[in-house]
């Protein structure tokens, strides 16, 4: 298995770097082009949220295995303001008008597993996985 790759998010260029790191790992693991694009798009949204709402944070991309399933795991963490109402932000159509508009629900649809842990005033951790077909 490849070593996990952590990208610090502090600028637009870091968002691109996180996207590229995930796409490269997914390609090396044998994910098809469509799943590579899904993973990269989800990371774009999640990393952009880190940049817009927390100012900085990290995106860690790693290979995972659960039984015979192999996949890619993305962990996005920040020490920003946190999300007060996770149920609200996970609703389709919810926007704060700062992001690309896809939001967390869109990122969740692109991945197979999606978990949000957030504490108001302390930060947010989102863990998502895409399993190889």
């Amino acid at each position: 298995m490849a070593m996990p790759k952590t990208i610090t998010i502090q600028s637009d260029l870091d968002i691109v770097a996180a996207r590229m790191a995930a796409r490269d790992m997914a390609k090396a693991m044998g994910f098809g082009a469509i799943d590579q694009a899904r993973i990269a798009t989800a990371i774009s949204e999640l990393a952009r949220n880190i940049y817009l709402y927390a100012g900085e944070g990290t995106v860690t991309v790693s290979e995972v295995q659960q039984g015979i399933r192999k996949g890619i795991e993305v962990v996005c963490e920040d020490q920003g303001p946190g999300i007060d109402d996770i149920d609200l932000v996970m609703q389709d159509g919810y926007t704060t008008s700062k992001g690309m508009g896809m939001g967390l629900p869109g990122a969740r649809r692109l991945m197979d597993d999606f978990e949000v842990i957030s504490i108001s005033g302390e930060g947010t951790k989102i863990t998502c996985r895409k399993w190889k077909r």
Side-chain angles (χ1 to χ4, degrees), residues 48-111:
R48 185 162 304 285
N49 283 352
I50 289 171
Y51 180 57
L52 290 174
Y53 299 108
E56 69 178 280
T58 59
V59 173
T60 302
V61 183
S62 55
E63 290 184 39
V64 290
Q65 186 161 353
Q66 228 177 42
I68 61 169
R69 291 196 308 175
K70 291 184 180 186
I72 192 165
E73 180 177 80
V74 179
V75 179
C76 301
E77 294 183 271
D78 66 61
Q79 281 71 53
I83 301 169
D84 290 327
D85 189 341
I86 293 172
D87 290 335
L88 177 63
V89 301
M90 292 306 292
Q91 290 178 17
D92 282 325
Y94 177 80
T95 181
T96 60
S97 301
K98 286 186 181 179
M100 294 175 7
M102 186 176 76
L104 295 180
R108 177 180 58 191
R109 277 192 299 278
L110 292 167
M111 302 299 278

